[in-house]
Amino acid sequence: MSDVSETKPTLSLRDTVAFIAMCCGMYMALVNIQIVNSSFKEIQGGLAAGPDQVSWVLTAALIAEVIMIPLSGWLSRLASTRWLFSACTGAFALASLGCANAWNIESMIVFRALQGFSGGALMPLVFATVYTVYPAKKQTRVMTIVSFCAVTSMAVGPTVGGWITEILSWQWLFLISVPIALILMVLSATLIDFDKPETDLARHIDYAGIALAAICVITLLVVLEEGRRQDWFESGTIITLAVVSAVSGYLFLWRELTCRHPVVDLRVFRNRDFALGCFYISVFGAVLYIPLFLLPLYLARVRAIDTFEIGTIVVVLGCSMIASTPIAGAMLRYMRRRTTLLIGFVGLAIGTWMQGQLTAEYGFAELVLPQVVRGLASQICWLSVVTLALSPIPTDQVKNASALFNLVMRLGAAVAIALANSAIEVLGRVHYARIAETVTAGQAAAASVLPRMSGIFHGIYGDSPTADQAGLAVLIATVEREALIRSFNQVTQATAVICLVSLVMLPLLRGRGSMVARKPGPPPPTSDSAPK
């Protein structure tokens, strides 16, 4: 039995309302990530956690989410879209309630992992529904609307998160999701009727594939999270985890390519456009999220701006993405995919390069234009890559392909952010050493600057050595700040260059996406007909 039927020429009102409910569930999960990321300090204080511990509030959700994403395609075939989506929204409500009532950092990490696991399936299910339920001529338009829902989370999340935390408390970041998730659970269980469960899959569960995927992803993300703190491969623990991740990853690939009933069908990568789409979505994830990760760090560590003000600056990117959504959709309908992808990635590279010109005085006015350029280009990139990857896939393979596509994007962003974080630390030390060489006591510049800085504190401490020490401390802090700014700029500019270099793969694209209705591929082999 095929997991999906032919795409319907028209959708009933019930189907439309069901799909809207699914989009709301995806939106809820994405907003939850954004609002929590903007309030780490408050959560850390409320749970009496250290900086290293509170970072696992994000990492736990990320690990669980990335484990769920590749499984979502298989689970939706086994249980159907209706029951998987209903179960995930119900579990999300319970996890959110647990997060709001967490009694220590350990319990918060556990509930956040459950929240990430349950929320991880929502976006792949929405994507798969677009390409299995809607006719081909409407898919670009519907995906444009879905993308609009997705990017508004970036605009709303940071500001709303800061506002909720300041007006109410950090617990309300999670409590606000509970009634919404419960309503969506009821709606999805009542209205969704896009496919039927394939209960036969329960007799051929790929336990080895699931275990290998979980081990590979968990160890990889722990290496990325803890490697920086433990000096990477100077640590025996990091070396061990890296080896385990590599070996389990290899065994997972071998298992899924040879298993009769794989939990993740990797043969979809034989489709050239899908493979190139996954390549470009990993690049897009890196280029979008590295500057998005570095900008709040710059604003907090260099400009000393509070959470709410940071949100108002970051929100410009989300608003620009919202504004560009209809433009990107129109471009995609009337231009070749190769052209729209070129325009999007060049624009994203330009905006990223502009952001890599930070100084110690940059504020909202100086950062608006780079965020606007990046936001306008991001939607063009996103829609081009999504349609490139998923539009040529047969309908009965879309669930699996959508899960893999989202997994590649998440892993690309996670790896890129970890590498950028390490690069900031290494480059910071290098730039500090270079600047320090020019301001040593024997240098003429330092000889003129130090007395002026010490003079600032003479009115407070008099002519005591404390004034000279305070002046020296200010000079050291200035050097550290300048080294940090240079590191931010260097990493951001390198990201822009990577974005441009990735365009060398552009000639391999087949051109315009298929705008005719796709036929389902051959049915999956049964236990009687599967090759041995």
Side-chain angles (χ1 to χ4, degrees):
M1 179 175 62
S2 178
D3 62 320
V4 290
S5 60
E6 296 272 1
T7 53
K8 302 177 182 180
T10 58
L11 266 70
S12 66
L13 178 61
R14 171 179 171 173
D15 291 336
T16 302
V17 174
F19 183 71
I20 292 173
M22 292 180 67
C23 291
C24 291
M26 177 189 72
Y27 183 81
M28 173 191 65
L30 293 174
V31 168
N32 185 267
I33 294 173
Q34 296 293 331
I35 63 177
V36 171
N37 287 354
S38 65
S39 304
F40 273 164
K41 289 183 180 179
E42 290 77 9
I43 295 174
Q44 178 183 345
L47 297 176
D52 291 347
Q53 290 177 307
V54 78
S55 68
W56 278 94
V57 173
L58 174 62
T59 304
L62 175 63
I63 290 175
E65 181 186 41
V66 172
I67 291 173
M68 171 53 115
I69 288 173
L71 299 179
S72 62
W74 181 83
L75 288 172
S76 63
R77 291 176 58 201
L78 174 65
S80 78
T81 302
R82 169 192 286 182
W83 297 119
L84 179 59
F85 203 92
S86 301
C88 286
T89 49
F92 194 91
L94 292 176
S96 299
L97 188 62
C99 289
N101 292 279
W103 52 93
N104 55 29
I105 188 63
E106 290 78 14
S107 61
M108 170 64 82
I109 291 172
V110 171
F111 288 124
R112 278 288 287 171
L114 178 58
Q115 200 177 47
F117 190 77
S118 55
L122 302 184
M123 182 179 281
L125 286 175
V126 171
F127 281 19
T129 300
V130 172
Y131 289 98
T132 56
V133 174
Y134 284 89
K137 64 181 181 180
K138 294 185 178 180
Q139 287 168 2
T140 299
R141 187 171 303 163
V142 175
M143 183 53 71
T144 302
I145 297 172
V146 171
S147 298
F148 178 84
C149 295
V151 300
T152 52
S153 66
M154 299 184 66
V156 172
T159 305
V160 171
W163 180 82
I164 290 176
T165 303
E166 289 190 10
I167 301 300
L168 300 172
S169 66
W170 64 264
Q171 286 88 349
W172 281 96
L173 297 173
F174 304 103
L175 288 174
I176 197 172
S177 299
V178 176
I180 298 172
L182 291 175
I183 292 171
L184 292 174
M185 178 186 70
V186 174
L187 288 175
S188 56
T190 305
L191 299 176
I192 296 176
D193 189 22
F194 299 140
D195 51 15
K196 303 299 180 184
E198 294 184 63
T199 54
D200 289 346
L201 292 176
R203 295 185 298 175
H204 308 286
I205 299 177
D206 182 15
Y207 292 108
I210 294 173
L212 288 169
I215 293 171
C216 176
V217 170
I218 290 173
T219 52
L220 173 62
L221 292 178
V222 171
V223 166
L224 295 175
E225 175 67 23
E226 293 295 323
R228 174 175 54 87
R229 300 190 184 100
Q230 301 190 28
D231 204 14
W232 293 104
F233 295 110
E234 297 297 322
S235 166
T237 301
I238 296 300
I239 292 175
T240 302
L241 291 175
V243 171
V244 171
S245 180
V247 172
S248 58
Y250 172 79
L251 292 176
F252 171 75
L253 293 176
W254 172 81
R255 169 73 182 178
E256 299 310 285
L257 290 173
T258 58
C259 179
R260 294 173 63 187
H261 302 281
V263 67
V264 179
D265 190 357
L266 300 176
R267 284 165 290 198
V268 70
F269 282 104
R270 291 174 181 172
N271 184 295
R272 185 200 301 176
D273 281 356
F274 177 76
L276 286 171
C278 286
F279 166 74
Y280 276 111
I281 199 61
S282 65
V283 174
F284 173 75
V287 179
L288 178 65
Y289 284 103
I290 286 178
L292 191 60
F293 165 74
L294 295 180
L295 183 59
L297 285 182
Y298 160 80
L299 294 172
R301 295 170 64 178
V302 175
R303 301 286 289 122
I305 294 176
D306 62 33
T307 300
F308 185 77
E309 290 181 279
I310 291 174
T312 61
I313 294 176
V314 175
V315 79
V316 174
L317 176 67
C319 291
S320 302
M321 295 174 77
I322 293 172
S324 69
T325 299
I327 300 172
M331 290 175 62
L332 207 62
R333 287 194 296 272
Y334 299 111
M335 299 173 67
R336 295 172 65 87
R337 273 199 311 248
R338 186 182 291 117
T339 304
T340 58
L341 198 147
L342 175 65
I343 293 172
F345 272 72
V346 169
L348 188 59
I350 291 173
T352 302
W353 184 270
M354 293 170 64
Q355 185 172 314
Q357 313 296 321
L358 300 173
T359 68
E361 290 76 32
Y362 261 41
F364 184 85
E366 293 82 6
L367 290 169
V368 165
L369 184 58
Q371 301 312 301
V372 168
V373 174
R374 277 172 47 79
L376 293 174
S378 293
Q379 273 300 81
I380 301 173
C381 294
W382 169 252
L383 281 172
S384 299
V385 175
V386 171
T387 56
L388 165 69
L390 298 181
S391 62
I393 303 299
T395 54
D396 60 332
Q397 299 176 21
V398 166
K399 289 183 177 180
N400 177 68
S402 174
L404 285 172
F405 180 81
N406 279 272
L407 175 65
V408 170
M409 181 179 68
R410 293 292 200 285
L411 287 179
V415 172
I417 288 174
L419 294 176
N421 214 345
S422 296
I424 289 295
E425 291 196 0
V426 173
L427 291 172
R429 291 193 293 266
V430 171
H431 288 303
Y432 180 86
R434 290 177 179 174
I435 298 173
E437 290 176 356
T438 66
V439 293
T440 54
Q443 298 288 336
S448 62
V449 171
L450 276 173
R452 290 202 302 269
M453 289 192 170
S454 298
I456 297 174
F457 297 95
H458 282 165
I460 301 174
Y461 301 108
D463 293 330
S464 68
T466 305
D468 295 330
Q469 294 172 358
L472 181 60
V474 171
L475 180 60
I476 291 173
T478 303
V479 173
E480 290 176 342
R481 183 192 67 186
E482 186 61 30
L484 189 60
I485 293 172
R486 293 185 183 185
S487 302
F488 284 148
N489 287 339
Q490 197 167 345
V491 171
T492 304
Q493 291 169 3
T495 305
V497 172
I498 291 172
C499 185
L500 287 177
V501 170
S502 70
L503 294 174
V504 298
M505 304 293 288
L506 209 56
L508 297 177
L509 297 185
R510 290 193 171 97
R512 194 177 187 88
S514 174
M515 301 303 292
V516 299
R518 291 170 291 121
K519 297 180 180 180
T526 63
S527 57
D528 297 327
S529 61
K532 297 183 179 180

